């Protein structure tokens, strides 16, 4: 089936402009995560959605960042008044509890290809 | 305190040899999962292997195995018979079952030499 998709794949914007990044998770996945990855760095957690529960926004770096998830599916990450330090790859992942061999289970994350944001 | 620590920014290994990538974690949650991901230069994140905190045996997936030492809070990834295509960044991650975030380490860049 289709994996996690993100759009746009690349976005170049001028400092001070607003941008919207979109994530379309795998159908049926109840959990959705946004991460930020700066060049050569690890993944920085931004926000997490689980079903109809209130999102965990504890990773958002400032109030310029917000995200919503409509209908429990597509999510949009919005960055207002972009700054040069916002330049990074923004990764989205969706997750579901999967059964493994031997009766085990795991919350595997499936990542999208990312959106590379460049703020000039 | 860091939830996930990967102390090896870069590693070299000769093709066909085994290599161990280190990962230590910090949690007070008795129930958690540990994950390894591979990120090639193309940027995609590829799930490799999972270990649950209550699993009695070390996880194995093909050439990948996870050396889980619960008392030491370590979850090292072992890649056997390295291949040139194994050259990539490798990230260790943890999910605490009482919370829902995944915590990622800073990664280890593996280079496989021919």
């Amino acid at each position: 089936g289709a994996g996690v998709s993100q759009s746009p794949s690349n976005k170049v914007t001028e400092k001070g402009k607003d941008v919207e990044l979109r994530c379309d998770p795998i159908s049926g996945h109840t959990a959705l995560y946004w991460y930020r990855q700066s060049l050569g760095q690890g993944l920085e957690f931004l926000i997490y959605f689980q079903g109809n529960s209130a999102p965990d926004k504890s990773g958002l770096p400032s109030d310029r960042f917000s995200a919503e998830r409509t209908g429990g599916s597509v999510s949009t990450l919005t960055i207002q008044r972009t700054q040069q330090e916002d330049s990074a790859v923004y990764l989205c992942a969706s997750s579901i509890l999967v059964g493994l061999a031997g009766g085990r289970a795991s919350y595997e994350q499936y990542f999208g290809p990312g959106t590379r944001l460049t703020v000039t | 305190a860091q939830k996930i620590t990967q102390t090896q920014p870069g590693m070299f290994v000769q093709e066909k040899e085994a290599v161990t990538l280190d990962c230590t974690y910090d949690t007070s949650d008795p129930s958690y999962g540990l994950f390894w991901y591979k990120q090639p230069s193309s940027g995609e994140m590829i799930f490799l292997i999972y270990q649950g905190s209550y699993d009695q045996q070390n996880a194995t997936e093909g050439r990948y195995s996870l050396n889980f030492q619960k008392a030491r809070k370590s979850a090292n990834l072992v890649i056997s018979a390295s291949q040139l295509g194994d050259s990539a960044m490798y990230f260790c991650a943890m999910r605490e079952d009482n919370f829902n975030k995944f915590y990622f380490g800073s990664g280890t860049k593996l280079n496989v030499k021919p």
Side-chain angles (χ1 to χ4, degrees), chain A residues 33 37 48 56 58 104, chain B residues 35 39 50 55 100-102:
Chain A
Y33 300 78
Q37 187 177 28
Y48 162 76
D56 179 347
S58 60
R104 299 156 63 231
Chain B
F35 304 78
Q39 189 178 43
Y50 163 79
D55 290 344
N100 294 305
K101 297 179 198 178
F102 281 75

Side-chain angles (χ1 to χ4, degrees), chain B residues 2-50:
Chain B
Q2 291 284 339
K3 287 283 189 180
I4 296 286
T5 302
Q6 294 181 253
T7 57
Q8 305 154 314
M11 291 277 288
F12 284 91
V13 64
Q14 199 70 38
E15 192 179 8
K16 300 180 184 177
E17 292 185 350
V19 63
T20 298
L21 307 183
D22 294 342
C23 173
T24 57
Y25 59 92
D26 181 28
T27 181
S28 57
D29 192 332
S31 181
Y32 52 90
L34 298 158
F35 304 78
W36 277 92
Y37 289 85
K38 173 183 178 181
Q39 189 178 43
S41 56
S42 57
E44 61 192 303
M45 291 285 285
I46 303 168
F47 166 75
L48 295 179
I49 195 167
Y50 163 79

Side-chain angles (χ1 to χ4, degrees), chain B residues 66-83:
Chain B
L66 200 152
N67 184 2
F68 181 45
Q69 298 188 42
K70 194 170 183 177
R72 297 180 58 184
K73 293 188 175 179
S74 75
N76 298 340
L77 176 71
V78 180
I79 306 175
S80 62
S82 298
Q83 301 173 355

Side-chain angles (χ1 to χ4, degrees), chain B residues 100-112:
Chain B
N100 294 305
K101 297 179 198 178
F102 281 75
Y103 299 94
F104 282 79
S106 56
T108 295
K109 185 171 177 58
L110 177 66
N111 281 292
V112 180

Side-chain angles (χ1 to χ4, degrees), chain A residues 43-85:
Chain A
L43 274 68
E44 175 189 5
F45 166 80
L46 297 178
I47 189 169
Y48 162 76
F49 296 89
Q50 172 66 58
N52 295 321
S53 303
D56 179 347
K57 305 179 182 179
S58 60
L60 295 178
S62 77
D63 58 8
R64 295 186 296 105
F65 288 73
S66 62
E68 62 178 20
R69 188 179 184 192
T70 54
S73 181
V74 172
S75 177
T76 302
L77 176 69
T78 301
I79 309 174
Q80 295 178 309
R81 304 180 304 281
T82 52
Q83 304 294 313
Q84 288 183 330
E85 60 262 30

